[in-house]
Amino acid sequence: MPTPGMLWLPLRGAGILVLILQASCLCGSAPCILCGCCPSSRNSTISRLIFTAFLFLGVLVSIIMLSPGVESQLHNLPWVCDEGARSPVVLRSHIDCGSLLGHRAVYRMCFATAAFFFLFTLLMTCVHSSRDPRAAIQNGFWFFKFLVFIGITVGAFYIPNGSFTNIWFYFGVVGSFLFILIQLVLVIDFAHSWNQRWLGRAEERDSRAWYAGLSFFTLLFYSLSIAAVTLFYIYYTQPSTCYEGKVFISLNLILCFCVSIIAVLPKVQEAQPNSGLLQASAVTLYTMFVTWLALSNVPDQKCNPHLLTNGTVLAGAEGYVTQWWDAPSIVGLIVFILCTLFISLRSSDHQQVNSLMRTEECPPVLEATQQQQVVACEGRAFDNEQDGVTYSYSFFHFCLLLASLHVMMTLTNWYRPGETQKMTSTWIAVWVKICASWAGLLLYLWTLVAPLLLPNRDFS
């Protein structure tokens, strides 16, 4: 029988979020309202963080439902599984036991999260300032939004099995592909900002230590990439087979070498002085990471050691098999969390990234006005979007929608529900990730050569 502590764990997580939401109701809607316990913060930042908390709550519940202990004990709950009740009477109000177990629970939880953010994607279209009545919904009413989130989640677990998981798998494939590209954009932006700041400090302080630091991390990223390629050839290829893996590894290695050379060409450096090997090394390392994720889904035991050592294997009451996480899934989840927080916390100082991510760099005049608001609203949130939003509300929710689909595929390790009620790895996952790595490299290449191909446009 399940222990009370295990049953109360999801409720405790929800209770913690309720407390956070109650506090955010005081410091997340209008400028300078109550709440002396919160530090002075921009309304736009607080709203993004709370919406991200909704996403992380869905991820937490998915992890709890996917954990071996909870999954095995769910069979013993008479109010969940009719098999556990051992009763000849089947209550129609009972939720199907299979919909609450393992990967199918993750599919439904992430469906609810994606539906929640899709609703706000449509609702917040074309909001240009906080004077729009819909901005009040974006930045307030958190308790009611939490109730909507709970309602959608409960409804998701009543979806009949049927072909739901198979259809939703393909939605997850498309969404995850797009979110992998968004992650690459964030990596490029982070490396660009990092390079720009350290070069600026080196010029201001006339110190070679900053140049040495940039060189060290550039060399470190390339060294890690080379080590990764070596390990890929050792563990994911065989001398007489695994030709697809050999092609993927070799081709991505060649492409990364080419973009690294292009990044330091004289004409590219002349058009973009801040372009350099640090960004190229970060893109190379991320490409190798995506390649690793792709290789870990190859449905051939000779070419994929993760199919043999994929952790704990549990057989459910219906005979299907749940495979617990492997190293690529865990690392992928960590990268997902970091990128999602990065989306929520900052706007880029890179104009091309701002255009792509639908964010805006705060002008000096508005920045000065906001500093005055910080002083006037010390200890409280203030509205920094009366003259214009600092990010696209709709696109932000669309990014969280894609993040929901991506984390669904990450938690389930891209395994597709099969007709035998088992989770099977497919070549679809491999090709999607490899194509995402190629698309990401092409996107980075475009940022390098765009100023040369379109000299009349301002890419500064």
Side-chain angles (χ1 to χ4, degrees):
M1 293 296 293
T3 62
M6 183 193 70
L7 296 177
W8 278 101
L9 187 57
L11 297 178
R12 289 175 181 174
I16 293 174
L17 184 66
V18 169
L19 294 177
I20 296 174
L21 295 177
Q22 288 176 347
S24 67
C25 287
L26 298 178
C27 51
S29 54
C32 302
I33 54 172
L34 305 176
C35 195
C37 62
C38 296
S40 298
S41 303
R42 295 179 175 88
N43 216 20
S44 58
T45 302
I46 293 176
S47 298
R48 282 183 286 181
L49 286 175
I50 298 175
F51 275 114
T52 303
F54 277 99
L55 174 62
F56 287 166
L57 175 64
V59 175
L60 177 62
V61 173
S62 298
I63 293 175
I64 292 174
M65 301 299 290
L66 194 61
S67 60
V70 173
E71 185 180 22
S72 60
Q73 292 297 327
L74 280 174
H75 288 283
N76 300 323
L77 297 180
W79 56 272
V80 173
C81 300
D82 294 332
E83 297 86 354
R86 300 184 181 277
S87 172
V89 180
V90 179
L91 300 179
R92 294 183 179 181
S93 61
H94 282 192
I95 303 174
D96 179 48
C97 180
S99 67
L100 282 172
L101 296 176
H103 295 73
R104 284 180 283 183
V106 176
Y107 270 52
R108 282 164 169 76
M109 188 66 235
C110 292
F111 170 81
T113 308
F116 176 77
F117 291 119
F118 179 71
L119 174 64
F120 278 91
T121 299
L122 298 179
L123 185 62
M124 296 301 160
T125 302
C126 298
V127 175
H128 300 294
S129 72
S130 60
R131 293 186 175 91
D132 191 307
R134 291 175 295 171
I137 302 177
Q138 169 76 8
N139 299 318
F141 301 101
W142 296 109
F143 178 72
F144 296 102
K145 284 188 280 194
F146 181 68
L147 292 181
V148 172
F149 181 72
I150 293 297
I152 296 176
T153 301
V154 173
F157 281 93
Y158 280 92
I159 298 176
N161 275 331
S163 59
F164 168 77
T165 50
N166 289 322
I167 295 175
W168 194 239
F169 169 81
Y170 290 102
F171 278 92
V173 167
V174 176
S176 187
F177 174 85
L178 296 176
F179 193 76
I180 290 174
L181 296 183
I182 291 178
Q183 285 182 334
L184 179 64
V185 172
L186 298 176
V187 169
I188 296 173
D189 176 45
F190 176 76
H192 173 84
S193 302
W194 183 6
N195 184 71
Q196 195 171 26
R197 286 193 179 95
W198 281 28
L199 288 178
R201 292 178 182 178
E203 295 176 357
E204 292 175 0
R205 304 178 184 182
D206 194 20
S207 173
R208 294 184 178 272
W210 298 102
Y211 293 110
L214 288 174
S215 301
F216 169 77
F217 282 102
T218 300
L219 182 61
L220 175 64
F221 291 160
Y222 276 124
S223 299
L224 291 175
S225 301
I226 295 174
V229 170
T230 303
L231 293 175
F232 293 162
Y233 278 115
I234 294 175
Y235 290 103
Y236 293 94
T237 63
Q238 297 292 335
S240 58
T241 184
C242 306
Y243 299 109
E244 297 89 351
K246 294 176 184 178
V247 172
F248 294 152
I249 299 169
S250 303
L251 186 57
N252 278 0
L253 178 62
I254 294 172
L255 292 176
C256 289
F257 177 78
C258 292
V259 297
S260 298
I261 294 299
I262 295 174
V264 294
L265 290 177
K267 290 187 177 180
V268 174
Q269 289 286 306
E270 182 180 354
Q272 297 194 62
N274 292 322
S275 174
L277 287 178
L278 179 65
Q279 296 94 314
S281 64
V283 171
T284 298
L285 184 60
Y286 181 77
T287 301
M288 292 304 145
F289 166 69
V290 177
T291 305
W292 180 37
L293 296 181
L295 295 174
S296 67
N297 282 112
V298 172
D300 187 348
Q301 293 183 351
K302 295 181 180 179
C303 309
N304 184 5
H306 294 290
L307 289 181
L308 299 176
T309 59
N310 214 11
T312 305
V313 178
L314 296 175
E318 298 180 3
Y320 66 87
V321 177
T322 296
Q323 302 205 22
W324 190 233
W325 294 348
D326 52 9
S329 298
I330 296 174
V331 177
L333 182 61
I334 295 174
V335 173
F336 158 80
I337 293 174
L338 294 177
C339 289
T340 306
L341 289 174
F342 195 72
I343 293 174
S344 303
L345 289 175
R346 71 183 298 272
S347 297
S348 174
D349 54 5
H350 194 288
Q351 186 174 353
Q352 295 182 60
V353 175
N354 280 331
S355 300
L356 183 62
M357 297 297 295
R358 309 290 296 174
T359 56
E360 297 180 7
E361 185 180 3
C362 186
V365 176
L366 289 181
E367 184 70 28
T369 303
Q370 292 177 14
Q371 292 300 328
Q372 295 176 1
Q373 288 181 309
V374 170
V375 176
C377 301
E378 183 177 358
R380 292 167 289 182
F382 62 91
D383 185 2
N384 63 317
E385 298 180 310
Q386 292 181 351
D387 298 323
V389 295
T390 59
Y391 67 101
S392 171
Y393 291 173
S394 182
F395 188 77
F396 171 72
H397 289 296
F398 181 69
C399 288
L400 294 187
L401 187 157
L402 297 180
S404 303
L405 297 175
H406 177 72
V407 76
M408 179 185 77
M409 305 307 291
T410 300
L411 292 178
T412 59
N413 201 21
W414 288 71
Y415 280 69
R416 185 177 68 176
E419 295 180 356
T420 60
Q421 294 186 333
K422 293 183 179 180
M423 307 302 291
T424 58
S425 184
T426 65
W427 279 104
I428 295 177
V430 180
W431 279 106
V432 166
K433 294 179 182 181
I434 288 297
C435 291
S437 69
W438 294 341
L441 288 172
L442 289 176
L443 182 62
Y444 176 61
L445 179 63
W446 171 252
T447 64
L448 295 176
V449 302
L452 299 177
L453 299 178
L454 303 172
N456 295 328
R457 294 190 61 182
D458 182 16
F459 290 94
S460 58

